[in-house]
Amino acid sequence: MNMNKSLLLGLTAFVVGCETPATYKDPEGRELVVSIGKVDIQDFANAGNAMLQEMVKSPAFDSAGASPVIQVGQITNDTATNFDLSLLLSKITGPLVNAGRIRLIDSDPVASAARASTPGAAVPLPQYVLKGKILEDRANAGRTKQSSFVFQLALVEVKTSLQVWQKEKIVTKQGTTNAVGF
Amino acid sequence: MNRFLLLTAALLCGCSTVLETGDTLERAITPPDGVNYAVTRPEGGFRLDVSDGRFASKVELLAVRKSRTRGGFTQVQFDLRNTSFLRQTANFGFEWIDAAGSVTEGQSGWSPTPLEPGQITTVTATALRSDSAECRLRILAR
């Protein structure tokens, strides 16, 4: 009986020893949780960075002139997970706005109300509309699960309604369980 | 008694890490991976700053090309090749530096890029700001 008690105590200590206390992690680092079934914060960064780089090196964007006016159009989340699309969009529009490469139309209601009462104020017409879709595909083989998240973005020229740039970035994750880090 | 032993063994297995490949085993017995850098130079060419020699011996930087887009922004392409016999995963990121050496912009986080044995991949970085002159590529093993 005493033997069982000491074993029980030993096991309890071992289980406690296996637990990981919460710590702060660099959100841009390599020790983040990798989830198989959902889009992680680093997936938005990865897809957003790839999209941004593809867009700025495209001939259409490069020759669009200084600071073209862009409006964000319809961006659809067709995945099973509900998330705020600004997690993706801010990775693309943020660096462009901060570098002065685009002028982004903001439909903030407070700003709109203030503009309405400002004589002579007018919103510039957008030259381009950024639109997109996020999709997912799941597959499994035995215990191994795989999920692919497909990020699609396109830049539409307003005066012609023609797509002048589009890009698809797929983030695929595979495993039997969620993990920490890469 | 036997049940306790079994439970202990199960717990031990749950807490241990499964080593799947020779490369994983090698990673487990070597120090933590360091970040390697390739930095373009104003006079042309590039400078390598290697912290993880093990990874650097497997992935070779073949060439670096610097040019300007039609809009006048600097663009750099880095060609890398997996010279090992195993699949490698390289993670990339980059920063841009102006003529005075200050960091002007950068790509946050890491972009994972699997590399099959012998495969060449090209990492392209295009500056968003006109004062971004040189590119510093970050490379980290899986």
Side-chain angles (χ1 to χ4, degrees):
Chain A
M1 188 62 185
N2 279 343
M3 181 74 167
N4 282 352
K5 271 186 180 171
S6 19
L7 268 171
L8 202 61
L9 276 171
L11 278 175
T12 311
F14 191 80
V15 169
V16 170
C18 281
E19 288 174 357
T20 309
T23 54
Y24 286 102
K25 294 293 174 192
D26 178 3
E28 295 171 359
R30 57 181 299 187
E31 295 177 307
L32 304 174
V33 170
V34 180
S35 315
I36 298 167
K38 68 183 276 285
V39 188
D40 292 312
I41 192 85
Q42 65 270 28
D43 300 329
F44 289 113
N46 184 8
N49 287 332
M51 295 281 192
L52 170 66
Q53 281 295 311
E54 288 293 327
M55 192 162 86
V56 295
K57 76 179 185 190
S58 70
F61 186 84
D62 196 41
S63 56
S67 301
V69 180
I70 289 184
Q71 185 163 26
V72 175
Q74 190 175 17
I75 297 185
T76 317
N77 173 15
D78 268 354
T79 71
T81 321
N82 185 33
F83 49 77
D84 195 323
L85 290 164
S86 64
L87 286 165
L88 174 72
L89 280 174
S90 64
K91 299 288 183 298
I92 299 163
T93 56
L96 289 170
V97 168
N98 293 340
R101 292 290 299 275
I102 62 166
R103 286 175 291 160
L104 186 68
I105 294 180
D106 195 318
S107 54
D108 178 67
V110 177
S112 298
R115 188 187 65 249
S117 58
T118 307
V123 181
L125 290 173
Q127 294 164 261
Y128 299 95
V129 169
L130 189 64
K131 58 169 247 183
K133 191 180 267 191
I134 305 173
L135 313 152
E136 76 172 299
D137 178 75
R138 289 173 192 253
N140 61 68
R143 289 182 60 235
T144 303
K145 291 175 275 187
Q146 177 180 292
S147 53
S148 294
F149 298 97
V150 185
F151 298 84
Q152 297 174 333
L153 276 185
L155 200 60
V156 180
E157 191 179 42
V158 170
K159 69 178 178 188
T160 59
S161 284
L162 295 175
Q163 281 194 11
V164 292
W165 169 83
Q166 63 168 289
K167 174 68 182 172
E168 181 177 89
K169 168 74 180 173
I170 304 175
V171 175
T172 299
K173 299 185 278 190
Q174 191 184 81
T176 53
T177 183
N178 294 349
V180 176
F182 62 76
Chain B
M1 178 70 177
N2 282 343
R3 271 185 292 173
F4 278 121
L5 282 173
L6 277 172
L7 188 57
T8 310
L11 275 168
L12 276 170
C13 288
C15 285
S16 65
T17 305
V18 179
L19 301 177
E20 290 177 342
T21 65
D23 191 53
T24 312
L25 179 62
E26 188 184 355
R27 283 167 52 79
I29 59 173
T30 51
D33 307 318
V35 180
N36 301 311
Y37 291 96
V39 192
T40 60
R41 288 176 157 156
E43 64 272 23
F46 60 91
R47 175 173 57 84
L48 274 179
D49 183 359
V50 175
S51 302
D52 182 357
R54 183 177 56 80
F55 186 67
S57 69
K58 294 172 182 172
V59 176
E60 184 186 358
L61 182 57
L62 299 174
V64 178
R65 292 177 296 278
K66 189 163 69 171
S67 59
R68 285 197 177 271
T69 65
R70 279 197 294 176
F73 299 94
T74 310
Q75 187 174 76
V76 177
Q77 288 192 327
F78 298 88
D79 290 345
L80 296 106
R81 180 176 198 159
N82 176 7
T83 54
S84 75
F85 298 112
L86 291 172
R87 179 190 298 155
Q88 306 290 330
T89 300
N91 294 278
F92 300 110
F94 55 81
E95 286 96 34
W96 285 94
I97 301 162
D98 67 11
S102 300
V103 173
T104 52
E105 56 179 297
Q107 178 184 288
S108 59
W110 297 95
S111 299
T113 308
L115 285 169
E116 297 298 330
Q119 185 184 345
I120 296 174
T121 190
T122 300
V123 180
T124 304
T126 307
L128 301 179
R129 292 170 47 148
S130 56
D131 57 345
S132 297
E134 305 303 327
C135 186
R136 182 167 67 194
L137 180 73
R138 290 180 270 124
I139 312 162
L140 181 65
R142 178 185 174 270

